[in-house]
Amino acid sequence: SGQLSLDARSLAVHGVLDPQTLAPLAFNLSPLDAVKGSLLSVALNSLASILILYSTSPDSSALQWLSPPQTFNKTHPFVYTQCQSIHARSVFPCQDTPAARICYSAKLNVLRELSAMMSARHAGRRDPVTGDVSEGFKKGGSAAGLNFESLWCGDGRMVEEFVMEQPIPPYLFAFAVGELGFREVGPRTWVYSENVVGVLDSTASEFAETEEMIRQGEKLFGEYPWERFDLLVLPPSFPYGGMENPRMVFLTPTVIKGDASGAQVVAHELAHSWTGNLITNINNEHFWLNEVIKMIQYCTVEFLDSL
């Protein structure tokens, strides 16, 4: 009961519903703050869940949309997220603070020739069906002037399903969609990139020793807690060396140098699997702890490797 407060930025909120009855719930979206976005307040009435109908905008600070000329293959578009540190709110309404932990499931509807990846367990790829679209989402599509069911089940579409059962702070929510290929480099690691043979092969060669790196980390810090440690090399526009999204680390192609030295960036992101992803600072004022403790770990791994 009472008010539920959520962060939002550059989102059009079409309605908030009781998911069982589809009865509308009162909500308010505050005026935009240049840094924090807007406060979405929802009046609860003895509900354990709510359904928020919304759409993102081209102004989303977390969504990077690339046209085909901005990719390696220059054939298909590409999209990826970068939610650190307070940009998850521009993808979905949430309590966008490291103090909050979320689990999630997702269905991503993409073009058949494209693939989707998330910081989550991949639960399958299949054709879309009308049963995917609840009455609430149909209502939301109508509110936005869209025939959502027709779009969802359109020709040439596929659905990728994901589940994240381990709680993470919202800034570690991530996905990417593009023409992707992969190579297996270890029992817990596949490397992904755009489906360009030269890029995939050089990526697999650069990160061939990832499993040994994970084992060294486990000797120092305990069992690797995320099951998979996959790597996705993004198009050149990715503005960071790497991003430690659980289960699916994002990397810039500039770390692929042909001499395996790019693995140092992977070690950096791997260390976050314990400090940052598993144990997180409570707010962004203390975010420096995320990096400092991780650097101590990273230097320890480098020292042991030199012995």
Side-chain angles (χ1 to χ4, degrees):
S1 62
Q3 291 286 323
L4 173 65
S5 298
L6 301 171
D7 296 306
R9 180 192 286 134
S10 303
L11 300 179
V13 180
H14 307 297
V16 183
L17 309 178
D18 178 334
Q20 300 301 318
T21 66
L22 300 186
L25 304 176
F27 72 92
N28 179 68
L29 193 64
S30 72
L32 180 68
D33 178 273
V35 175
K36 294 183 286 187
S38 300
L39 173 65
L40 175 61
S41 300
V42 181
L44 299 180
N45 184 20
S46 299
L47 293 176
S49 62
I50 61 173
L51 176 62
I52 302 174
L53 309 171
Y54 74 95
S55 54
T56 61
S57 80
D59 296 327
S60 168
S61 56
L63 292 168
Q64 307 301 314
W65 300 91
L66 307 182
S67 61
Q70 294 173 293
T71 66
F72 283 113
N73 245 357
K74 305 190 184 306
T75 305
H76 297 289
F78 200 105
V79 62
Y80 65 85
T81 60
Q82 177 58 36
C83 291
Q84 194 181 56
S85 53
I86 60 168
H87 301 290
R89 65 190 68 187
S90 68
V91 183
F92 57 95
C94 60
Q95 293 174 330
D96 199 4
T97 166
R101 292 261 170 171
I102 61 171
C103 296
Y104 67 88
S105 60
K107 296 183 179 75
L108 274 62
N109 186 296
V110 303
L111 292 171
R112 184 175 295 273
E113 57 266 32
L114 304 183
S115 300
M117 303 303 305
M118 293 195 83
S119 55
R121 175 172 57 83
H122 189 219
R125 178 180 170 97
R126 59 173 175 79
D127 292 323
V129 295
T130 56
D132 292 329
V133 185
S134 69
E135 291 302 317
F137 281 108
K138 291 178 186 177
K139 186 172 181 177
S142 298
L146 301 171
N147 184 336
F148 194 76
E149 189 169 35
S150 176
L151 289 170
W152 185 268
C153 297
D155 291 339
R157 309 295 300 186
M158 293 295 291
V159 173
E160 303 260 23
E161 295 192 75
F162 299 88
V163 179
M164 187 56 175
E165 296 161 321
Q166 296 163 281
I168 59 171
Y171 75 84
L172 292 176
F173 174 89
F175 71 82
V177 179
E179 186 185 22
L180 300 174
F182 69 91
R183 297 282 190 273
E184 184 175 358
V185 298
R188 291 179 277 190
T189 305
W190 287 4
V191 294
Y192 295 82
S193 74
E194 287 186 64
N195 198 15
V196 180
V197 172
V199 177
L200 276 171
D201 289 344
S202 59
T203 298
S205 176
E206 191 79 18
F207 306 128
E209 299 301 319
T210 301
E211 176 61 23
E212 179 58 26
M213 197 179 301
I214 299 172
R215 290 174 181 169
Q216 291 298 324
E218 288 181 317
K219 289 179 182 178
L220 291 168
F221 318 120
E223 183 180 0
Y224 178 73
W226 303 98
E227 184 183 7
R228 299 286 305 172
F229 185 70
D230 294 324
L231 309 172
L232 172 60
V233 173
L234 291 169
S237 63
F238 184 59
Y240 298 90
M243 179 61 207
E244 65 270 17
N245 307 309
R247 303 182 66 101
M248 181 59 64
V249 168
F250 286 1
L251 296 166
T252 173
T254 60
V255 302
I256 303 172
K257 301 175 183 178
D259 60 2
S261 62
Q264 295 181 17
V265 176
V266 174
H268 175 115
E269 308 307 335
L270 174 63
H272 276 304
S273 299
W274 290 273
T275 56
N277 297 6
L278 185 63
I279 301 172
T280 312
N281 47 285
I282 195 169
N283 57 39
N284 289 301
E285 181 181 2
H286 299 143
F287 212 84
W288 62 275
L289 288 168
N290 195 336
E291 298 298 328
V292 171
I293 297 175
K294 179 266 304 166
M295 284 305 298
I296 294 171
Q297 292 178 321
Y298 171 67
C299 291
T300 304
V301 172
E302 287 288 289
F303 173 72
L304 291 178
D305 284 347
S306 69
L307 295 179

